[in-house]
Amino acid sequence: GQSLEQPSEVTAVEGAIVQINCTYQTSGFYGLSWYQQHDGGAPTFLSYNGLDGLEETGRFSSFLSRSDSYGYLLLQELQMKDSASYFCAVRVGMDSSYKLIFGSGTRLLVRP
Amino acid sequence: DGGITQSPKYLFRKEGQNVTLSCEQNLNHDAMYWYRQDPGQGLRLIYYSQIVNDFQKGDIAEGYSVSREKKESFPLTVTSAQKNPTAFYLCASTRTGGLNTEAFFGQGTRLTVV
């Protein structure tokens, strides 16, 4: 079967750096994505890694190691507005029929 | 502006009733998805569709049904066979070409059984 594992909760201080890990067990892997969801809202796309290495988008970076079935999201210069849930997601299957599955999410609490 | 529209935002269902949640997109995306989210939980896949007139079951399809008669529309029916339907339902769409599968989500429908 398919599974993604993330820590359930992380707490950090404003201005700090936090890393949210994701390990996955899937077949037909086609990349790892990260999404942010504020309470009561819809998830919004943050980043995508199709190949090994680091992708940087402003304060957010994401890393992928396909050999280790592992990735992480790195949030720098944390702000209060970053308090939200973060989900890793993987695309599995083939181009003609694939699905997008999500981890259980990591709730990030940023303290002053 | 392109996007995904879900309606209604809030829905109340009596025991034994079927209800249909609407999802419409004008992004010209081929793939559409329905997810269920329970409080403090992740997104669980109910059904997905890659193309018109075709759809596949996700991980928790029991008690739900869908149709894909038009590219823009992917309605979800929560049937009376779904024993615990109270949840937040999210519809999403993606392109099918390329590797980056950025998903665009609607604002969700919060369903409550009364």
Side-chain angles (χ1 to χ4, degrees):
Chain A
Q2 329 274 4
S3 67
L4 294 92
E5 298 287 334
Q6 310 178 228
S8 60
E9 195 171 295
V10 173
T11 301
V13 177
E14 194 175 13
I17 299 172
V18 72
Q19 178 174 314
I20 299 174
N21 299 321
C22 174
T23 58
Y24 58 87
Q25 186 173 10
T26 66
S27 57
F29 175 81
Y30 281 88
L32 182 71
S33 303
W34 289 92
Y35 291 79
Q36 178 191 62
Q37 185 184 32
H38 286 98
D39 285 346
T44 56
F45 174 83
L46 291 176
S47 69
Y48 168 80
N49 294 75
L51 301 174
D52 292 351
L54 191 69
E55 294 285 339
E56 297 180 76
T57 308
R59 295 188 295 116
F60 294 178
S61 304
S62 58
F63 172 83
L64 175 66
S65 169
R66 289 174 295 172
S67 60
D68 295 322
S69 297
Y70 163 77
Y72 66 72
L73 179 69
L74 191 73
L75 296 84
Q76 303 180 73
E77 301 172 18
L78 282 173
Q79 302 175 9
M80 299 298 291
K81 67 178 182 180
D82 296 329
S83 291
S85 292
Y86 292 85
F87 297 90
C88 57
V90 296
R91 177 188 181 190
V92 297
M94 301 297 291
D95 275 347
S96 61
S97 179
Y98 68 86
K99 57 184 178 181
L100 194 60
I101 59 174
F102 286 77
S104 56
T106 298
R107 191 170 184 86
L108 171 64
L109 176 62
V110 179
R111 295 185 288 109
Chain B
D1 288 337
I4 298 184
T5 301
Q6 288 186 242
S7 62
K9 188 172 182 179
Y10 299 96
L11 185 59
F12 297 90
R13 190 194 95 169
K14 292 183 179 179
E15 296 275 358
Q17 277 185 338
N18 293 356
V19 291
T20 297
L21 283 59
S22 171
C23 178
E24 303 277 333
Q25 56 100 357
N26 60 3
L27 299 165
N28 200 32
H29 285 170
D30 288 307
M32 297 187 74
Y33 309 79
W34 274 105
Y35 294 92
R36 168 179 172 146
Q37 187 174 34
D38 293 285
Q41 303 297 312
L43 282 69
R44 292 188 290 167
L45 184 62
I46 306 173
Y47 268 98
Y48 60 107
S49 168
Q50 305 294 303
I51 196 169
V52 174
N53 292 324
D54 188 39
F55 47 83
Q56 288 79 40
K57 292 182 179 179
D59 300 318
I60 55 165
E62 186 175 350
Y64 300 97
S65 67
V66 293
S67 63
R68 188 83 188 276
E69 297 176 0
K70 299 186 301 181
K71 186 176 183 177
E72 305 79 29
S73 179
F74 192 40
L76 173 74
T77 296
V78 184
T79 75
S80 56
Q82 172 49 241
K83 298 306 178 189
N84 185 23
T86 294
F88 188 46
Y89 290 87
L90 287 158
C91 179
S93 72
T94 69
R95 294 182 293 109
T96 51
L99 294 177
N100 187 342
T101 53
E102 177 179 353
F104 293 80
F105 285 84
Q107 289 304 303
T109 293
R110 200 166 295 278
L111 174 63
T112 304
V113 173
V114 296

